[in-house]
Amino acid sequence: MYWEALVRHLNRLAIGVLSVAAMTSSVLLFPAGAAQAAAQRIDLKVLVISDGGSSVSAIEEQLQTEGVPHKTLDLNDANRPVVNKAFLEDTVGGVPRAKYQAVVSSGPNPFTVAAETTALTDFEKKFGVRQVDAYVYPNAAVGMNAPGFAGALDGTTAGLSGTGLSGPFRYLKGPVRFDDNSPTVPESYAYLASPLPDNPAQGTRFEPYLTATAQGQTGTLAGVYTHDGRSEMVLTFAYNFNQWQFRTIGHGIVTWLTKGVHLGHNRNYFSVHVDDVFLPDSRWSAQNNCTPGEDCPSGVTTPDIRMTPADVTQAVNWQAQNGFTLDMVYNGAGSDEAVAQNGSDPLTTSFTSSKSKFRWVDHTYEHPYLGCKQDLTVRPWRCETDAAGNVQYVSKAAIKDQITKNLNWGRGKGLSLSADELVTGEHSGLKILPQQPVDNPNLGPALNETGVKWIASDASRDKAQRPVGNALTLPRHPMSVFFNTGTKQEMADEYNWIYTSRADGGSGICEDNPGTVTCIQPVDTATGYEGYIIPVDARITLSHIVTNDPRAHYVHQSNLAEDRILYPMLDRILGDYRAAFAGNAPVVNQRMSALGAELKRQVAWRNAMAGVTAYVQNGKVTVQRPSGVSVPITVPEGTRDCSGLLGCLLGSPAYGQQYAGERSAYTDSSVSLTLPSGAMG
């Protein structure tokens, strides 16, 4: 009992000590065996030596995406600094300092001046700094034989070795699919070659990570060449940041490069908002190429699309089968109107009986337009103005009424709501070009008075998070599952109208806007949705998921009705993701407020990280952060938080959260961590 009391007392003292230490804005990371570590300081920043090529740029963008501090040296800049000892290292307090923890380069020797090559080589040897050769021709200088194959790998599936899967690519299952988006354009040029034999006497070794077979030739696409006291990851295929093969292995490249210890935080986010729940949605007119209530001539009508109780059952079952929760973005007026017309609403009954299966978000009560007052007598519509030319806006009182009335309706039904989340109809109230270049000035005050902290915006028009009153936007990616379609045929027909030329029967939008829209050949209305549209949009959505992007995606309730066209799209997205990524890296499926908070944290970190000092010295990492900035730290699995006064002697907990075979978290105060033995080797 005495000993337990003493331990509790010492831990309380430790908390007090750490509270004082937090005022210094430092984070201390203690690796195992720190007392034996050499007296060196290594700054946690990556040096990117860029030749302007897409491969180096892809890794640079991966660093930016994950929030890893880095400095780019442009080899095409005549005024760039010379790479010499002074550029790479110096001495601080009598301790040798490496200004960079890792190097990214186009190849093993990016310089034309021998002295720069020597300086970089000596630096990497001295501090144990790793280098990635972003795209090289296989040769003896990188530990490889001449290539047995050179050409496109479009559609090929490469495989990761056991060493790769137990090492930096532990978050993947093994197969790495190479893009094949066009049958006529080569997209993935590569060299396949075998490694040279290891030579223990000379200290040379090549460890293959990624291999593929083409035209009967099997060879290495990525591996680590250890030689001359240095380690280089060698990549022998061309890529850019947008290609699937890079996006799957990009995080592993960063992990290997930094030895798994770096500033930054990476997750694969995917949440889907289903708008207009309880409302009917207007249906696309294939005959008139328009939508009633939107752009159809007077007199053109189509049957509305609205979910049924059977559709709710299907949503519940699909979620359970896929371990994925949909966010139902609802309008209570749709239910009340159905009850007023029919005496009851089976859809509402079905949804409320399964209400706990979904997340719920306020979409305003009636889904009105909350920006300027619209003049719909002209196409496209315009904002109404008074006699003096002043734009007339929907009032603050009207906006507040729509928010609170819908919240109260949802609470009355027992829906699990977060009152600080809001999606306005058509993202209205926010600026929309060209008609309304500024937010409705009444929107911010209305959000403030109703306690809204997160308001959805359209990422295709307004991608950056920004303030609206006291709230922040959460941009949402639209998916190519149109709100006015309930069947596959309707989807394909409208898709053809938007994306084909006038000569092919389309609207010609693609011809008029070649910079943003590409014309396609018309898809078959019977097979085009599943055969063309789903593969294209799934690829786009996956590109968001695997780039640390917490922005939500959105569709509409009509897509869960009739043909239930959303499900094959989601099945393809989740299927492709889970075929590539291991169970330790699941999609992070969160509600709107959590996603908004993460985006806010990312923005704050990226704006602040250039002013952060972080380094390893004597086995200890110190991070000096600006006040109020959360610092993201990623470390290997097995790292323990030893912040208590007695450190790890009392069996301290694991640091941070587990994801992708690593531990990572944002920290606002001082912590001390112990890495597993050999983690920094």
PDB file of all heavy atoms in Angstrom, residues 262-284:
ATOM      1  N   HIS A 262       9.026  10.769 -37.867  1.00  0.00           N
ATOM      2  CA  HIS A 262       8.944  12.079 -38.529  1.00  0.00           C
ATOM      3  C   HIS A 262       7.761  12.861 -37.978  1.00  0.00           C
ATOM      4  O   HIS A 262       6.879  12.307 -37.317  1.00  0.00           O
ATOM      5  CB  HIS A 262       8.801  11.920 -40.047  1.00  0.00           C
ATOM      6  CG  HIS A 262       7.604  11.120 -40.471  1.00  0.00           C
ATOM      7  ND1 HIS A 262       7.668   9.783 -40.770  1.00  0.00           N
ATOM      8  CD2 HIS A 262       6.300  11.460 -40.646  1.00  0.00           C
ATOM      9  CE1 HIS A 262       6.476   9.334 -41.111  1.00  0.00           C
ATOM     10  NE2 HIS A 262       5.626  10.342 -41.033  1.00  0.00           N
ATOM     11  N   LEU A 263       7.774  14.130 -38.234  1.00  0.00           N
ATOM     12  CA  LEU A 263       6.602  14.945 -37.970  1.00  0.00           C
ATOM     13  C   LEU A 263       5.622  14.723 -39.113  1.00  0.00           C
ATOM     14  O   LEU A 263       6.012  14.595 -40.262  1.00  0.00           O
ATOM     15  CB  LEU A 263       6.977  16.424 -37.867  1.00  0.00           C
ATOM     16  CG  LEU A 263       8.038  16.783 -36.817  1.00  0.00           C
ATOM     17  CD1 LEU A 263       8.200  18.303 -36.730  1.00  0.00           C
ATOM     18  CD2 LEU A 263       7.709  16.200 -35.455  1.00  0.00           C
ATOM     19  N   GLY A 264       4.343  14.685 -38.780  1.00  0.00           N
ATOM     20  CA  GLY A 264       3.323  14.430 -39.787  1.00  0.00           C
ATOM     21  C   GLY A 264       2.334  13.398 -39.296  1.00  0.00           C
ATOM     22  O   GLY A 264       2.575  12.680 -38.314  1.00  0.00           O
ATOM     23  N   HIS A 265       1.193  13.306 -39.984  1.00  0.00           N
ATOM     24  CA  HIS A 265       0.091  12.453 -39.544  1.00  0.00           C
ATOM     25  C   HIS A 265      -0.686  12.060 -40.788  1.00  0.00           C
ATOM     26  O   HIS A 265      -1.080  12.919 -41.579  1.00  0.00           O
ATOM     27  CB  HIS A 265      -0.796  13.248 -38.581  1.00  0.00           C
ATOM     28  CG  HIS A 265      -1.886  12.460 -37.927  1.00  0.00           C
ATOM     29  ND1 HIS A 265      -3.142  12.347 -38.471  1.00  0.00           N
ATOM     30  CD2 HIS A 265      -1.918  11.778 -36.752  1.00  0.00           C
ATOM     31  CE1 HIS A 265      -3.901  11.626 -37.654  1.00  0.00           C
ATOM     32  NE2 HIS A 265      -3.187  11.266 -36.609  1.00  0.00           N
ATOM     33  N   ASN A 266      -0.928  10.755 -40.986  1.00  0.00           N
ATOM     34  CA  ASN A 266      -1.549  10.291 -42.217  1.00  0.00           C
ATOM     35  C   ASN A 266      -2.677   9.306 -41.923  1.00  0.00           C
ATOM     36  O   ASN A 266      -2.513   8.379 -41.140  1.00  0.00           O
ATOM     37  CB  ASN A 266      -0.498   9.604 -43.100  1.00  0.00           C
ATOM     38  CG  ASN A 266      -1.038   9.269 -44.470  1.00  0.00           C
ATOM     39  OD1 ASN A 266      -1.362  10.153 -45.246  1.00  0.00           O
ATOM     40  ND2 ASN A 266      -1.133   7.982 -44.777  1.00  0.00           N
ATOM     41  N   ARG A 267      -3.835   9.532 -42.553  1.00  0.00           N
ATOM     42  CA  ARG A 267      -4.976   8.624 -42.466  1.00  0.00           C
ATOM     43  C   ARG A 267      -5.671   8.584 -43.832  1.00  0.00           C
ATOM     44  O   ARG A 267      -5.530   9.496 -44.651  1.00  0.00           O
ATOM     45  CB  ARG A 267      -5.997   9.103 -41.419  1.00  0.00           C
ATOM     46  CG  ARG A 267      -5.486   9.117 -39.989  1.00  0.00           C
ATOM     47  CD  ARG A 267      -5.313   7.723 -39.425  1.00  0.00           C
ATOM     48  NE  ARG A 267      -5.001   7.737 -38.005  1.00  0.00           N
ATOM     49  CZ  ARG A 267      -3.786   7.840 -37.491  1.00  0.00           C
ATOM     50  NH1 ARG A 267      -2.742   7.986 -38.311  1.00  0.00           N
ATOM     51  NH2 ARG A 267      -3.591   7.810 -36.192  1.00  0.00           N
ATOM     52  N   ASN A 268      -6.464   7.534 -44.062  1.00  0.00           N
ATOM     53  CA  ASN A 268      -7.263   7.405 -45.281  1.00  0.00           C
ATOM     54  C   ASN A 268      -8.738   7.589 -44.930  1.00  0.00           C
ATOM     55  O   ASN A 268      -9.366   6.677 -44.398  1.00  0.00           O
ATOM     56  CB  ASN A 268      -7.021   6.051 -45.937  1.00  0.00           C
ATOM     57  CG  ASN A 268      -5.594   5.896 -46.425  1.00  0.00           C
ATOM     58  OD1 ASN A 268      -4.914   6.876 -46.707  1.00  0.00           O
ATOM     59  ND2 ASN A 268      -5.128   4.667 -46.534  1.00  0.00           N
ATOM     60  N   TYR A 269      -9.270   8.772 -45.210  1.00  0.00           N
ATOM     61  CA  TYR A 269     -10.619   9.150 -44.783  1.00  0.00           C
ATOM     62  C   TYR A 269     -11.649   8.865 -45.876  1.00  0.00           C
ATOM     63  O   TYR A 269     -11.405   9.084 -47.052  1.00  0.00           O
ATOM     64  CB  TYR A 269     -10.672  10.649 -44.465  1.00  0.00           C
ATOM     65  CG  TYR A 269      -9.776  11.083 -43.333  1.00  0.00           C
ATOM     66  CD1 TYR A 269      -8.483  11.555 -43.581  1.00  0.00           C
ATOM     67  CD2 TYR A 269     -10.209  11.015 -42.015  1.00  0.00           C
ATOM     68  CE1 TYR A 269      -7.658  11.958 -42.534  1.00  0.00           C
ATOM     69  CE2 TYR A 269      -9.386  11.416 -40.973  1.00  0.00           C
ATOM     70  CZ  TYR A 269      -8.115  11.887 -41.241  1.00  0.00           C
ATOM     71  OH  TYR A 269      -7.293  12.280 -40.209  1.00  0.00           O
ATOM     72  N   PHE A 270     -12.830   8.399 -45.454  1.00  0.00           N
ATOM     73  CA  PHE A 270     -13.944   8.247 -46.398  1.00  0.00           C
ATOM     74  C   PHE A 270     -15.260   8.262 -45.636  1.00  0.00           C
ATOM     75  O   PHE A 270     -15.575   7.350 -44.874  1.00  0.00           O
ATOM     76  CB  PHE A 270     -13.812   6.944 -47.185  1.00  0.00           C
ATOM     77  CG  PHE A 270     -14.819   6.793 -48.295  1.00  0.00           C
ATOM     78  CD1 PHE A 270     -15.169   7.869 -49.102  1.00  0.00           C
ATOM     79  CD2 PHE A 270     -15.409   5.558 -48.538  1.00  0.00           C
ATOM     80  CE1 PHE A 270     -16.081   7.719 -50.138  1.00  0.00           C
ATOM     81  CE2 PHE A 270     -16.329   5.401 -49.571  1.00  0.00           C
ATOM     82  CZ  PHE A 270     -16.666   6.479 -50.372  1.00  0.00           C
ATOM     83  N   SER A 271     -16.021   9.333 -45.821  1.00  0.00           N
ATOM     84  CA  SER A 271     -17.375   9.443 -45.280  1.00  0.00           C
ATOM     85  C   SER A 271     -18.294   9.910 -46.403  1.00  0.00           C
ATOM     86  O   SER A 271     -17.889  10.725 -47.242  1.00  0.00           O
ATOM     87  CB  SER A 271     -17.427  10.439 -44.117  1.00  0.00           C
ATOM     88  OG  SER A 271     -16.684   9.969 -43.012  1.00  0.00           O
ATOM     89  N   VAL A 272     -19.523   9.392 -46.426  1.00  0.00           N
ATOM     90  CA  VAL A 272     -20.478   9.701 -47.493  1.00  0.00           C
ATOM     91  C   VAL A 272     -21.741  10.299 -46.888  1.00  0.00           C
ATOM     92  O   VAL A 272     -22.410   9.665 -46.071  1.00  0.00           O
ATOM     93  CB  VAL A 272     -20.820   8.437 -48.308  1.00  0.00           C
ATOM     94  CG1 VAL A 272     -21.857   8.769 -49.381  1.00  0.00           C
ATOM     95  CG2 VAL A 272     -19.559   7.849 -48.944  1.00  0.00           C
ATOM     96  N   HIS A 273     -22.048  11.526 -47.305  1.00  0.00           N
ATOM     97  CA  HIS A 273     -23.269  12.205 -46.889  1.00  0.00           C
ATOM     98  C   HIS A 273     -24.374  11.931 -47.910  1.00  0.00           C
ATOM     99  O   HIS A 273     -24.171  12.130 -49.114  1.00  0.00           O
ATOM    100  CB  HIS A 273     -23.039  13.714 -46.809  1.00  0.00           C
ATOM    101  CG  HIS A 273     -22.150  14.126 -45.681  1.00  0.00           C
ATOM    102  ND1 HIS A 273     -21.911  15.450 -45.376  1.00  0.00           N
ATOM    103  CD2 HIS A 273     -21.446  13.407 -44.774  1.00  0.00           C
ATOM    104  CE1 HIS A 273     -21.091  15.519 -44.341  1.00  0.00           C
ATOM    105  NE2 HIS A 273     -20.797  14.289 -43.959  1.00  0.00           N
ATOM    106  N   VAL A 274     -25.520  11.517 -47.428  1.00  0.00           N
ATOM    107  CA  VAL A 274     -26.688  11.286 -48.282  1.00  0.00           C
ATOM    108  C   VAL A 274     -27.654  12.434 -48.045  1.00  0.00           C
ATOM    109  O   VAL A 274     -28.359  12.473 -47.032  1.00  0.00           O
ATOM    110  CB  VAL A 274     -27.351   9.930 -47.970  1.00  0.00           C
ATOM    111  CG1 VAL A 274     -28.530   9.697 -48.908  1.00  0.00           C
ATOM    112  CG2 VAL A 274     -26.336   8.787 -48.091  1.00  0.00           C
ATOM    113  N   ASP A 275     -27.697  13.390 -48.950  1.00  0.00           N
ATOM    114  CA  ASP A 275     -28.524  14.597 -48.791  1.00  0.00           C
ATOM    115  C   ASP A 275     -29.996  14.320 -49.134  1.00  0.00           C
ATOM    116  O   ASP A 275     -30.334  13.362 -49.827  1.00  0.00           O
ATOM    117  CB  ASP A 275     -28.004  15.715 -49.702  1.00  0.00           C
ATOM    118  CG  ASP A 275     -26.674  16.285 -49.231  1.00  0.00           C
ATOM    119  OD1 ASP A 275     -26.094  15.750 -48.271  1.00  0.00           O
ATOM    120  OD2 ASP A 275     -26.208  17.267 -49.842  1.00  0.00           O
ATOM    121  N   ASP A 276     -30.853  15.224 -48.644  1.00  0.00           N
ATOM    122  CA  ASP A 276     -32.287  15.285 -48.996  1.00  0.00           C
ATOM    123  C   ASP A 276     -33.106  14.128 -48.423  1.00  0.00           C
ATOM    124  O   ASP A 276     -34.184  13.814 -48.946  1.00  0.00           O
ATOM    125  CB  ASP A 276     -32.493  15.325 -50.512  1.00  0.00           C
ATOM    126  CG  ASP A 276     -31.859  16.523 -51.172  1.00  0.00           C
ATOM    127  OD1 ASP A 276     -31.364  17.410 -50.453  1.00  0.00           O
ATOM    128  OD2 ASP A 276     -31.837  16.578 -52.413  1.00  0.00           O
ATOM    129  N   VAL A 277     -32.623  13.487 -47.367  1.00  0.00           N
ATOM    130  CA  VAL A 277     -33.379  12.386 -46.777  1.00  0.00           C
ATOM    131  C   VAL A 277     -34.737  12.901 -46.285  1.00  0.00           C
ATOM    132  O   VAL A 277     -34.816  13.947 -45.623  1.00  0.00           O
ATOM    133  CB  VAL A 277     -32.580  11.732 -45.632  1.00  0.00           C
ATOM    134  CG1 VAL A 277     -33.437  10.753 -44.840  1.00  0.00           C
ATOM    135  CG2 VAL A 277     -31.353  11.032 -46.199  1.00  0.00           C
ATOM    136  N   PHE A 278     -35.800  12.184 -46.608  1.00  0.00           N
ATOM    137  CA  PHE A 278     -37.228  12.453 -46.382  1.00  0.00           C
ATOM    138  C   PHE A 278     -37.844  13.284 -47.500  1.00  0.00           C
ATOM    139  O   PHE A 278     -39.057  13.263 -47.680  1.00  0.00           O
ATOM    140  CB  PHE A 278     -37.509  13.122 -45.028  1.00  0.00           C
ATOM    141  CG  PHE A 278     -37.116  12.285 -43.854  1.00  0.00           C
ATOM    142  CD1 PHE A 278     -36.186  12.737 -42.939  1.00  0.00           C
ATOM    143  CD2 PHE A 278     -37.656  11.020 -43.658  1.00  0.00           C
ATOM    144  CE1 PHE A 278     -35.805  11.963 -41.850  1.00  0.00           C
ATOM    145  CE2 PHE A 278     -37.282  10.235 -42.577  1.00  0.00           C
ATOM    146  CZ  PHE A 278     -36.354  10.699 -41.675  1.00  0.00           C
ATOM    147  N   LEU A 279     -37.029  14.030 -48.264  1.00  0.00           N
ATOM    148  CA  LEU A 279     -37.567  14.795 -49.388  1.00  0.00           C
ATOM    149  C   LEU A 279     -37.652  13.923 -50.639  1.00  0.00           C
ATOM    150  O   LEU A 279     -36.904  12.958 -50.777  1.00  0.00           O
ATOM    151  CB  LEU A 279     -36.676  15.990 -49.711  1.00  0.00           C
ATOM    152  CG  LEU A 279     -36.712  17.204 -48.782  1.00  0.00           C
ATOM    153  CD1 LEU A 279     -35.681  18.223 -49.248  1.00  0.00           C
ATOM    154  CD2 LEU A 279     -38.104  17.831 -48.741  1.00  0.00           C
ATOM    155  N   PRO A 280     -38.507  14.288 -51.589  1.00  0.00           N
ATOM    156  CA  PRO A 280     -38.419  13.710 -52.927  1.00  0.00           C
ATOM    157  C   PRO A 280     -37.430  14.530 -53.757  1.00  0.00           C
ATOM    158  O   PRO A 280     -37.271  15.728 -53.524  1.00  0.00           O
ATOM    159  CB  PRO A 280     -39.841  13.852 -53.469  1.00  0.00           C
ATOM    160  CG  PRO A 280     -40.375  15.072 -52.777  1.00  0.00           C
ATOM    161  CD  PRO A 280     -39.700  15.133 -51.423  1.00  0.00           C
ATOM    162  N   ASP A 281     -36.734  13.892 -54.684  1.00  0.00           N
ATOM    163  CA  ASP A 281     -35.861  14.609 -55.612  1.00  0.00           C
ATOM    164  C   ASP A 281     -36.462  14.572 -57.010  1.00  0.00           C
ATOM    165  O   ASP A 281     -37.044  13.562 -57.429  1.00  0.00           O
ATOM    166  CB  ASP A 281     -34.468  13.975 -55.645  1.00  0.00           C
ATOM    167  CG  ASP A 281     -33.639  14.354 -54.432  1.00  0.00           C
ATOM    168  OD1 ASP A 281     -33.497  15.556 -54.179  1.00  0.00           O
ATOM    169  OD2 ASP A 281     -33.140  13.446 -53.726  1.00  0.00           O
ATOM    170  N   SER A 282     -36.313  15.676 -57.740  1.00  0.00           N
ATOM    171  CA  SER A 282     -36.814  15.744 -59.119  1.00  0.00           C
ATOM    172  C   SER A 282     -36.042  14.760 -59.993  1.00  0.00           C
ATOM    173  O   SER A 282     -34.871  14.475 -59.755  1.00  0.00           O
ATOM    174  CB  SER A 282     -36.664  17.159 -59.667  1.00  0.00           C
ATOM    175  OG  SER A 282     -37.447  18.070 -58.928  1.00  0.00           O
ATOM    176  N   ARG A 283     -36.711  14.263 -61.040  1.00  0.00           N
ATOM    177  CA  ARG A 283     -36.128  13.250 -61.917  1.00  0.00           C
ATOM    178  C   ARG A 283     -35.690  13.859 -63.251  1.00  0.00           C
ATOM    179  O   ARG A 283     -36.371  14.712 -63.832  1.00  0.00           O
ATOM    180  CB  ARG A 283     -37.132  12.128 -62.180  1.00  0.00           C
ATOM    181  CG  ARG A 283     -36.556  10.939 -62.967  1.00  0.00           C
ATOM    182  CD  ARG A 283     -37.660   9.936 -63.298  1.00  0.00           C
ATOM    183  NE  ARG A 283     -38.358   9.466 -62.120  1.00  0.00           N
ATOM    184  CZ  ARG A 283     -37.993   8.412 -61.400  1.00  0.00           C
ATOM    185  NH1 ARG A 283     -36.915   7.722 -61.749  1.00  0.00           N
ATOM    186  NH2 ARG A 283     -38.701   8.046 -60.347  1.00  0.00           N
ATOM    187  N   TRP A 284     -34.560  13.412 -63.732  1.00  0.00           N
ATOM    188  CA  TRP A 284     -34.039  13.805 -65.040  1.00  0.00           C
ATOM    189  C   TRP A 284     -35.011  13.401 -66.148  1.00  0.00           C
ATOM    190  O   TRP A 284     -35.544  12.290 -66.150  1.00  0.00           O
ATOM    191  CB  TRP A 284     -32.691  13.124 -65.263  1.00  0.00           C
ATOM    192  CG  TRP A 284     -32.100  13.233 -66.639  1.00  0.00           C
ATOM    193  CD1 TRP A 284     -31.998  12.246 -67.567  1.00  0.00           C
ATOM    194  CD2 TRP A 284     -31.493  14.383 -67.233  1.00  0.00           C
ATOM    195  NE1 TRP A 284     -31.378  12.692 -68.699  1.00  0.00           N
ATOM    196  CE2 TRP A 284     -31.043  14.006 -68.523  1.00  0.00           C
ATOM    197  CE3 TRP A 284     -31.282  15.684 -66.806  1.00  0.00           C
ATOM    198  CZ2 TRP A 284     -30.401  14.897 -69.387  1.00  0.00           C
ATOM    199  CZ3 TRP A 284     -30.642  16.570 -67.655  1.00  0.00           C
ATOM    200  CH2 TRP A 284     -30.209  16.179 -68.921  1.00  0.00           C
TER     201      TRP A 284
END
